[in-house]
């Protein structure tokens, strides 16, 4: 058994262009827990308030399988461990497991930490022992283990032995600079395991393009845990990509992870959507192009016998074969997702074709439904005739006024005219931005007829410009997350105009909530 340790929320967020709000972090953690990873490193509580807020919230929730893990450093030099505020914050995070990173490389110990090699060993041992005494499962990340081993194997082994002797549950060898090659990793990992007399974990980076290969090499040498990030996010060129490493381990190497990989593609897309980064179409296993066959000869061969041009069955990782000449792709994913929401379809039912056509149409316009489940559910209800709009739009209007000079100000105002069951309602409101003003005006117009929406508010708003690639003007995609204080749900809107895209996502979010509230009170 090999365990999967996800650090998307810590190492992953150190990547350029990757940023998650606290709410995003909770959604990512929930998704990872659902998926079945064994550890979720939530962040570094001593490093920023967003991470501390995450751990406060995480401590209140129950997690299905994953252990939420806080990350930090060994105590500072020449200081008692109980006096180190950074270590205290690790305990305050109230997680079942804690990972601490410590120095292995003498160069770093004496130059960066400016402590003696002996003091460094004491820093490792004290911190591990202290966290163990407080009932935590302790993982010890040996930073720069491989670079250090090259120069001073004896001292490198001493550091991890110090962690183990102090009670660490697992020592994790880190290939921090990402430049080592698999053969070396395998050899050194084998030596470390022999020295400790127990398996270790492996944490690799992808600077040489072999982050995944290095993790696999360590597993061959007997490692029992892989640390990495979803989609390979991380500093510089990124961490070991768990989305690639997991199927390699479970499908190719026959190592049981206890994880159902048929939701792998969905997970990969979800994490990208929340980080607001475009998917890599060439991502191994899960990319759009991973099982796309274009050339006529390949298409013909693959249709006769899939393994002629496919290394695995795409359905094992939730992906699918796309034959670019046909227009039938996307079917199984859409149906699996809809059935997951509780919809049931008879085999070959005509409404299935209608739903697929609508999904295809919206996706070709730039919609993405992986992180916008509420819009997806609304789409299905509309196609099934199960949706009755709670209002008809007559018109809306929003303005942004910016006055210069010393008494300058900015204000946004919106008006909304709607028809609720034959009654015209006309409201106006102001907000911080045009979308905020529209949202307020629309909810004001609806609240008398639908008092339930009083508690609803916007929790998050994300905009992405999508390059249409067709030479026409770029489109805007808006992803809105709404909340009623308990549940959260997300909706998507696409348009050439940011206000219009936002309006679509807003209306979907409100309609979804009204329909859900009506179903609950019925
Ligand atoms: Zn790292």
């Amino acid at each position: 058994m090999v365990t999967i340790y996800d650090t998307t929320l810590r190492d992953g967020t150190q990547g350029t262009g990757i940023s998650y709000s606290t709410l995003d972090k909770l959604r990512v953690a929930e998704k990872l827990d659902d998926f079945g990873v064994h550890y979720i490193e939530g962040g570094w509580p001593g490093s920023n308030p967003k991470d501390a807020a995450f751990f406060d919230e995480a401590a209140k929730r129950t997690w299905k399988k994953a252990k939420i893990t806080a990350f930090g450093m060994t105590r500072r030099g020449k200081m008692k461990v109980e006096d180190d505020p950074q270590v205290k914050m690790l305990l305050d995070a109230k997680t079942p497991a804690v990972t601490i990173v410590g120095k292995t490389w003498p160069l770093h110990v004496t130059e960066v930490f400016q402590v003696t090699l002996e003091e460094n060993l004491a820093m490792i041992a004290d911190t591990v022992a202290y966290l163990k005494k407080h009932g935590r499962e302790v993982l010890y990340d040996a930073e720069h283990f491989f670079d250090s081993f090259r120069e001073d194997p004896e001292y490198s082994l001493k550091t991890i032995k110090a962690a183990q002797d102090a009670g660490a549950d697992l020592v994790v060898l880190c290939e921090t600079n990402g430049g080592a090659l698999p053969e070396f990793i395998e050899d050194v990992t084998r030596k470390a395991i022999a020295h400790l007399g127990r398996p270790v974990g492996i944490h690799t980076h992808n600077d040489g393009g072999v982050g995944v290969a290095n993790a696999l090499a360590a597993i061959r040498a007997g490692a029992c845990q892989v640390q990495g990030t979803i989609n390979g996010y991380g500093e510089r060129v990124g961490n070991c990509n768990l989305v690639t490493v997991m199927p390699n381990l479970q499908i190719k190497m026959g190592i049981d992870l206890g994880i159902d990989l048929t939701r792998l593609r969905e997970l990969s897309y979800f994490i990208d959507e929340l980080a607001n980064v475009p998917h890599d179409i060439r991502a191994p296993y899960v990319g759009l192009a991973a099982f796309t066959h274009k050339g006529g000869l390949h298409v013909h061969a693959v249709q006769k016998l899939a393994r002629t041009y496919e290394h695995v069955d795409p359905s094992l990782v939730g992906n699918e074969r796309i034959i670019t000449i046909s227009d039938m792709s996307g079917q199984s994913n859409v149906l699996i997702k809809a059935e997951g929401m509780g919809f049931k379809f008879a085999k070959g039912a005509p409404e299935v074709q209608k739903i697929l056509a609508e999904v295809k149409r919206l996706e070709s316009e730039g919609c993405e439904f992986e992180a916008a489940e509420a819009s997806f559910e609304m789409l299905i209800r509309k196609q099934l005739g199960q949706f009755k709009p709670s209002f008809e739009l007559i018109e809306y209007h929003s303005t942004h006024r910016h006055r210069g000079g010393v008494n300058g100000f900015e204000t946004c105002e919106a008006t909304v005219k709607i028809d609720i069951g034959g009654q015209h309602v006309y409201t106006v409101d102001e907000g911080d931005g045009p979308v905020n003003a529209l949202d307020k005006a629309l909810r004001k117009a609806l609240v008398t007829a639908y008092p339930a929406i009083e508690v609803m508010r916007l929790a998050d708003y994300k905009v992405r410009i999508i390059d249409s690639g067709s030479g026409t003007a770029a489109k805007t995609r808006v992803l809105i997350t709404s909340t009623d204080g308990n549940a959260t749900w997300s909706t998507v809107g696409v348009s050439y105009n940011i206000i219009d895209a936002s309006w679509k996502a807003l209306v979907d979010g409100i309609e979804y909530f009204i329909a859900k509230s009506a179903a609950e009170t019925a």
Side-chain angles (χ1 to χ4, degrees):
M1 172 90 175
V2 166
T3 56
I4 297 296
Y5 182 108
D6 179 276
T7 179
T8 306
L9 295 176
R10 202 270 308 169
D11 235 356
T13 60
Q14 291 176 9
T16 309
I18 307 295
S19 161
Y20 288 121
S21 66
T22 304
L23 177 67
D24 287 339
K25 291 189 102 176
L26 286 160
R27 289 189 73 196
V28 167
E30 271 173 6
K31 192 81 180 176
L32 289 166
D33 183 40
D34 248 3
F35 182 76
V37 304
H38 306 87
Y39 293 84
I40 300 169
E41 193 174 79
W44 189 338
S47 76
N48 71 68
K50 217 159 70 177
D51 286 6
F54 168 83
F55 285 113
D56 281 348
E57 196 49 49
K60 293 180 204 151
R61 306 197 176 191
T62 38
W63 302 89
K64 288 180 190 160
K65 172 172 163 191
K67 284 184 188 154
I68 303 295
T69 309
F71 177 88
M73 264 165 59
T74 52
R75 71 156 168 86
R76 271 187 242 157
K78 303 161 212 149
M79 180 188 248
K80 281 189 175 156
V81 63
E82 54 270 34
D83 296 336
D84 188 328
Q86 187 263 147
V87 176
K88 183 178 176 298
M89 277 190 259
L90 284 175
L91 290 179
D92 290 346
K94 298 192 172 60
T95 54
V98 173
T99 298
I100 49 163
V101 61
K103 298 283 183 207
T104 319
W105 199 353
L107 172 80
H108 273 258
V109 177
T110 53
E111 297 301 314
V112 182
F113 270 8
Q114 301 197 322
V115 298
T116 63
L117 296 182
E118 279 311 308
E119 170 68 354
N120 182 52
L121 295 178
M123 284 154 64
I124 295 168
D126 289 356
T127 317
V128 170
Y130 182 74
L131 293 167
K132 282 307 297 174
K133 198 177 82 189
H134 284 82
R136 301 301 192 274
E137 177 177 338
V138 178
L139 293 90
Y140 175 72
D141 270 6
E143 193 185 31
H144 291 117
F145 187 80
F146 296 90
D147 288 315
S148 174
F149 193 92
R150 222 189 285 269
E151 274 184 22
D152 191 341
E154 199 186 326
Y155 185 73
S156 305
L157 291 172
K158 266 189 192 165
T159 62
I160 56 174
K161 190 75 170 53
Q164 176 164 307
D165 290 347
D169 296 276
L170 185 70
V171 164
V172 181
L173 309 181
C174 300
E175 212 286 272
T176 309
N177 291 0
L181 296 179
E183 252 188 294
F184 179 65
I185 298 288
E186 187 170 344
D187 179 47
V188 173
T189 303
R190 197 162 271 135
K191 285 174 179 150
I193 291 174
H195 185 74
L196 295 177
R198 292 201 226 151
V200 295
I202 182 73
H203 177 119
T204 59
H205 281 256
N206 197 36
D207 299 75
V210 288
V212 166
N214 280 347
L216 297 178
I219 294 293
R220 267 198 310 274
C224 63
Q225 177 177 95
V226 176
Q227 299 196 344
T229 62
I230 302 301
N231 302 330
Y233 296 170
E235 252 169 306
R236 307 183 304 275
V237 306
N239 283 57
C240 167
N241 187 348
L242 291 179
V243 173
T244 312
V245 100
M246 289 191 284
N248 280 338
L249 287 170
Q250 195 158 278
I251 301 170
K252 299 283 175 69
M253 291 167 73
I255 291 168
D256 183 25
L257 306 172
I259 292 176
D260 172 13
L261 293 177
T262 60
R263 293 163 66 205
L264 188 66
R265 178 191 165 279
E266 182 196 322
L267 173 73
S268 166
Y269 273 58
F270 179 91
I271 301 295
D272 272 344
E273 282 299 301
L274 277 200
N276 212 4
V277 299
H279 320 298
D280 176 4
I281 64 162
R282 283 179 295 277
Y285 291 100
V286 297
L288 184 69
F291 301 95
T292 294
H293 304 283
K294 206 171 168 189
L297 201 67
H298 286 200
V299 168
H300 199 69
V302 118
Q303 279 174 327
K304 268 170 93 177
L305 185 60
R307 70 190 164 87
T308 50
Y309 287 100
E310 281 175 1
H311 70 123
V312 292
D313 177 350
S315 69
L316 295 176
V317 289
N319 210 341
E320 62 193 336
R321 179 171 312 131
I322 296 175
I323 310 274
T324 50
I325 46 164
S326 106
D327 202 30
M328 297 305 288
S329 59
Q331 285 216 13
S332 54
N333 278 325
V334 170
L335 292 184
I336 289 166
K337 195 165 170 148
E339 280 167 4
M341 287 176 164
F343 293 100
K344 293 207 170 29
F345 304 105
K347 235 196 164 99
E351 60 265 30
V352 171
Q353 288 311 318
K354 272 174 71 183
I355 291 167
L356 288 170
E358 184 64 359
V359 169
K360 258 200 144 26
R361 185 182 72 78
L362 290 169
E363 282 184 347
S364 72
E365 285 189 1
C367 277
E368 292 276 0
F369 294 103
E370 272 74 14
E373 308 86 348
S375 281
F376 186 74
E377 190 174 326
M378 296 287 292
L379 178 158
I380 296 176
R381 294 205 182 284
K382 283 176 191 166
Q383 296 307 312
L384 296 178
Q386 294 176 0
F387 169 73
K388 193 173 145 292
S390 39
F391 67 93
E392 293 293 339
L393 173 69
I394 301 167
E395 68 173 47
Y396 70 78
H397 172 237
S398 73
T399 60
H400 172 223
R401 184 170 303 146
H402 185 120
R403 181 171 295 166
V406 276
N407 297 316
F409 66 90
E410 271 187 78
T411 180
C412 290
E413 189 181 279
T415 62
V416 167
K417 263 187 234 178
I418 56 174
D419 179 321
I420 307 177
Q423 288 268 18
H424 283 201
V425 187
Y426 181 23
T427 54
V428 59
D429 213 326
E430 291 182 335
D432 299 332
V435 177
N436 180 238
L438 266 180
D439 173 50
K440 285 166 76 180
L442 176 57
R443 283 189 294 123
K444 197 190 247 183
L446 288 166
V447 75
T448 311
Y450 306 100
I453 67 167
E454 183 84 61
V455 295
M456 186 182 152
R457 62 184 170 77
L458 291 192
D460 194 30
Y461 177 80
K462 284 191 174 77
V463 178
R464 179 163 355 136
I465 306 301
I466 34 181
D467 177 18
S468 61
S470 61
T472 51
K475 282 187 178 176
T476 305
R477 173 158 75 223
V478 166
L479 184 69
I480 283 179
T481 302
S482 308
T483 179
D484 61 1
N486 294 313
T488 60
W489 61 98
S490 298
T491 50
V492 63
V494 170
S495 171
Y496 288 109
N497 174 323
I498 186 170
I499 302 289
D500 187 46
S502 307
W503 174 264
K504 286 175 180 165
L506 274 178
V507 169
D508 252 14
I510 287 176
E511 288 285 23
Y512 174 82
F513 183 64
I514 290 174
K516 201 177 64 144
S517 316
E520 275 164 14
T521 48

